[in-house]
Amino acid sequence: MTLEECKVIITCSGLGSRLGEYTEYTNKSLVRVGSKAVISHIIDSYPIDTKFVITLGHYGDHVKQYIDIAHPTLKVEFINIENYHGEGSSLGQSLFSAKNVIGSSFIFNACDTITDGLIPTSKESNRVWAVTSKNNSSAYRTIQHTGLKVGSILEKGESVSSAPVYIGKCFISDTNSFWQNLEELLLKNNSSELSDCHVINRMLKYDKKEFDLQYANFWHDIGNLDDLKTTRSIIGDNINVLDKYNESIFFIDNHVIKFFNDELVLENRIKRANILSHCTPTIIDHSKNFMKYEYVVGDILCKYKNLDDKLLYNLLEYANNSMWKKSKNMPDSKKIESLCRKFYIEKTKKRVDMFKSSRNIYDKTNIINGVEVKSVNSLLDDACKLDLLSGTMGNFHGDFILENIIFDNEGFTFIDWRQDFAGEIVLGDVYYDLAKLNHNINFNHAIIRNSGFSCEIKNNDSISVDLMCSHKILSAKKGLLDFCKDNKLSIKKIEMITGIIWINMAPLHDKSLGDFLFYFGKLQLHKSINGYYDRLI
């Protein structure tokens, strides 16, 4: 069988509800595993000339955009599934929608199954792929078999612990039998549970078709949160980013691809890329939700072995000359105060409301690490009295952290810039960039991903928080302090904004990290207001 005769169907139309918030903002097949989306792992597992059929439903436009920008030469046909959730929707219905574009034998590869992608030859019969039994086989369909001949595929409740697990991949040689049996099943009982397995069992029982059992060399499942976590631990990466549900980053063929659920955020990022073109990568392609730029060669500063206070000082000098001092048409003091109030105060209060609502709590005075700390609203009032709102405006980055700065031993490149400052896309508060750097010196993403933090809530009033830090990175902070002293910039204001940054981050992450960020941020804001960091000035 030639590659032209055998297509691979990937059904990406379902909701993927078992992945929770990951699929609230995009499609299950676009969840990042390692350096790329799940669907890229599937595509890359097959020979380069393989033809694909991809069904689209839940955030189907995201899937199409991703394929177009990440795999521009892929031979693919898209099938739009209108009824992809609710009554009448099913995997079987999605498969049947692709009938007219298949034409001959095909492989079905579930969009949450990463495995080896060999194409069967024309001499091979129908086939189902499996792996040997797993510790939790009851959570999967299993295969009843005699030798390498399949007897039936058992449902999860019927599964046998010692039986091989069906991994959601099959080869259909007898397509006439498959489509006929699928159509009959859809006419009799169009259940949302109808799947490839029901069709295979019917082919085995009524048409007496044979299916061979094929053991996969490996299988990685991302169909639920536990399996996604396990798969990510196996297919690791060196990406020092904290996952967000509404954004993601992928690295494919020496390109960086960024996803944003919010189309306006992406639109403004592209506009700001032109403003910062002298110190950021050039965007080479973009769509409504994705942008693409060439991978920048160099070391991410958080991993640079010779990071010290002198290099950090040089970085800040470069940022000052290439970005912060480049602004024109400066707004008056009232406009600056209005922007800063919107960004630091109004946005923070909205984030606090999100945090409180998600946990059904009040924000009030807490005892944090033995210190009495007022509510966030009271802390923000105090910060405003200490010159928080008199920003120093300039062309800004907006996420000025070590993970977003690449050094090639000669110069710096800034990646992953913010889309605006309180709606303003040209100018922003330089203090925010400095505070983001200060935040990251303490809050190292690699340590955080390895659970290097703790938050113990003894009751709603008494909280204990702690954070592991990199001594090497902390020691480089002297470069930031020296730069601020030389340029007459307020360390106190930087430390206040650092606390505000942590509070703002809290509702955007999972509960354990979110709780830590909220209370750690409150403590930081309290300390900075009350002179704890004045010794650094």
Side-chain angles (χ1 to χ4, degrees):
M1 180 175 296
T2 65
L3 296 181
E4 289 72 19
E5 294 172 329
C6 184
K7 296 179 180 179
V8 177
I9 301 177
I10 309 173
T11 50
C12 301
S13 34
L15 296 177
S17 55
R18 289 184 298 161
L19 287 178
E21 289 183 275
Y22 281 103
T23 51
E24 183 178 342
Y25 297 97
T26 194
N27 187 272
K28 173 169 66 172
S29 67
L30 300 183
V31 172
R32 183 176 57 81
V33 173
S35 62
K36 54 191 176 184
V38 173
I39 197 168
S40 285
H41 286 281
I42 296 172
I43 290 169
D44 292 344
S45 72
Y46 288 95
I48 193 168
D49 289 331
T50 303
K51 293 183 178 180
F52 291 88
V53 176
I54 297 176
T55 67
L56 305 176
H58 179 63
Y59 283 115
D61 190 44
H62 288 183
V63 178
K64 187 176 186 306
Q65 288 180 60
Y66 177 82
I67 296 297
D68 288 343
I69 204 166
H71 302 278
T73 62
L74 189 72
K75 298 175 181 177
V76 59
E77 295 176 84
F78 295 104
I79 306 295
N80 290 309
I81 310 297
E82 292 185 5
N83 187 20
Y84 62 85
H85 69 94
E87 185 178 352
S89 64
S90 65
L91 171 58
Q93 185 66 59
S94 291
L95 284 170
F96 192 72
S97 298
K99 174 185 175 182
N100 293 333
V101 301
I102 294 302
S104 62
S105 303
F106 67 89
I107 292 173
F108 162 62
N109 198 131
C111 74
D112 53 14
T113 285
I114 301 173
T115 186
D116 40 338
L118 297 178
I119 299 286
T121 68
S122 58
K123 297 179 180 180
E124 292 172 310
S125 63
N126 305 304
R127 182 187 304 185
V128 296
W129 274 265
V131 293
T132 53
S133 58
K134 297 167 68 78
N135 293 333
N136 58 339
S137 293
S138 61
Y140 302 94
R141 291 185 172 100
T142 57
I143 299 175
Q144 189 179 53
H145 65 105
T146 302
L148 292 179
K149 292 298 178 183
V150 176
S152 65
I153 301 178
L154 303 177
E155 294 296 322
K156 295 175 184 178
E158 306 169 338
S159 295
V160 178
S161 60
S162 60
V165 170
Y166 176 59
I167 67 173
K169 178 178 175 179
C170 62
F171 167 62
I172 303 299
S173 177
D174 299 315
T175 53
N176 289 335
S177 174
F178 182 87
W179 297 125
Q180 181 179 345
N181 281 285
L182 175 53
E183 186 171 15
E184 290 176 2
L185 286 169
L186 288 169
L187 289 171
K188 288 184 176 181
N189 181 19
N190 194 3
S191 166
S192 62
E193 301 298 319
L194 181 61
S195 72
D196 54 316
C197 298
H198 298 98
V199 186
I200 291 169
N201 282 338
R202 187 179 174 90
M203 291 171 68
L204 287 163
K205 183 176 181 180
Y206 294 108
D207 288 1
K208 306 301 179 184
K209 297 296 182 181
E210 290 191 345
F211 278 79
D212 293 336
L213 177 61
Q214 173 73 50
Y215 287 99
N217 291 322
F218 62 89
W219 175 44
H220 302 305
D221 181 24
I222 62 101
N224 58 71
L225 290 171
D226 288 339
D227 285 328
L228 173 62
K229 182 178 180 180
T230 299
T231 297
R232 281 178 160 177
S233 70
I234 297 169
I235 306 178
D237 57 57
N238 295 316
I239 303 174
N240 281 313
V241 296
L242 298 178
D243 280 321
K244 295 180 181 178
Y245 298 120
N246 60 347
E247 297 180 12
S248 196
I249 185 170
F250 312 99
F251 297 86
I252 297 178
D253 296 334
N254 293 318
H255 291 100
V256 178
I257 297 173
K258 291 276 299 186
F259 161 74
F260 302 88
N261 173 268
D262 190 324
E263 295 175 14
L264 180 59
V265 168
L266 177 61
E267 181 182 335
N268 285 341
R269 293 254 179 144
I270 293 168
K271 290 178 181 177
R272 296 208 65 241
N274 293 325
I275 295 168
L276 302 174
S277 60
H278 46 280
C279 51
T280 58
T282 300
I283 295 174
I284 58 177
D285 196 6
H286 67 87
S287 60
K288 290 190 299 183
N289 298 95
F290 293 86
M291 69 178 184
K292 178 179 181 180
Y293 56 84
E294 288 188 4
Y295 183 83
V296 179
V297 177
D299 292 306
I300 298 174
L301 270 189
C302 62
K303 294 182 178 181
Y304 186 63
K305 61 182 179 180
N306 294 322
L307 176 64
D308 59 15
D309 58 316
K310 293 180 181 179
L311 183 61
L312 204 65
Y313 189 96
N314 290 338
L315 162 69
L316 294 170
E317 281 282 284
Y318 174 79
N320 197 34
N321 293 324
S322 67
M323 184 166 57
W324 298 328
K325 282 186 175 180
K326 292 290 184 180
S327 23
K328 297 178 181 179
N329 302 319
M330 294 295 290
D332 60 29
S333 59
K334 288 185 178 180
K335 175 66 173 177
I336 292 173
E337 180 178 339
S338 175
L339 289 170
C340 289
R341 182 176 296 279
K342 185 177 179 180
F343 193 76
Y344 295 129
I345 307 301
E346 295 174 12
K347 185 181 78 170
T348 302
K349 288 182 177 180
K350 289 178 182 178
R351 292 284 177 87
V352 170
D353 286 342
M354 288 172 58
F355 182 84
K356 292 189 301 182
S357 176
S358 67
R359 287 154 175 80
N360 194 26
I361 62 170
Y362 296 100
D363 175 38
K364 56 183 181 180
T365 298
N366 304 115
I367 306 298
I368 307 176
N369 290 1
V371 178
E372 185 176 293
V373 180
K374 294 188 290 187
S375 69
V376 174
N377 279 356
S378 296
L379 291 170
L380 292 174
D381 289 341
D382 292 343
C384 288
K385 297 172 186 176
L386 295 173
D387 208 30
L388 175 68
L389 303 182
S390 60
T392 298
M393 306 303 283
N395 286 350
F396 72 109
H397 180 277
D399 200 7
F400 197 72
I401 59 176
L402 299 174
E403 280 85 358
N404 290 338
I405 302 167
I406 297 175
F407 182 57
D408 63 2
N409 291 318
E410 293 183 3
F412 303 93
T413 303
F414 305 148
I415 59 174
D416 205 18
W417 51 97
R418 185 180 170 82
Q419 65 276 3
D420 63 50
F421 184 87
E424 170 63 50
I425 66 170
V426 176
L427 301 176
D429 188 5
V430 172
Y431 274 103
Y432 185 67
D433 275 359
L434 295 169
K436 287 291 288 190
L437 179 61
N438 186 52
H439 133 75
N440 191 226
I441 287 171
N442 294 276
F443 190 85
N444 179 268
H445 287 182
I447 292 175
I448 294 298
R449 288 210 317 274
N450 289 318
S451 301
F453 63 93
S454 65
C455 179
E456 182 182 357
I457 304 176
K458 299 175 183 177
N459 54 58
N460 200 28
D461 296 322
S462 180
I463 295 102
S464 174
V465 289
D466 199 7
L467 174 67
M468 292 178 62
C469 299
S470 165
H471 174 74
K472 174 184 174 182
I473 296 176
L474 276 178
S475 65
K477 182 171 179 175
K478 183 177 180 297
L480 171 61
L481 300 177
D482 290 344
F483 175 81
C484 291
K485 290 175 183 177
D486 291 347
N487 290 274
K488 296 180 173 54
L489 294 163
S490 169
I491 300 296
K492 188 182 190 75
K493 187 184 290 191
I494 291 170
E495 297 291 357
M496 285 194 298
I497 297 173
T498 301
I500 290 172
I501 286 169
W502 288 332
I503 293 168
N504 271 270
M505 291 172 64
L508 305 182
H509 295 280
D510 61 43
K511 188 177 187 307
S512 60
L513 179 54
D515 286 348
F516 166 78
L517 284 163
F518 184 75
Y519 295 110
F520 196 66
K522 282 186 66 172
L523 182 61
Q524 166 75 11
L525 186 52
H526 167 88
K527 285 182 173 181
S528 56
I529 288 170
N530 289 281
Y532 181 85
Y533 298 104
D534 289 356
R535 59 188 171 81
L536 300 176
I537 299 174

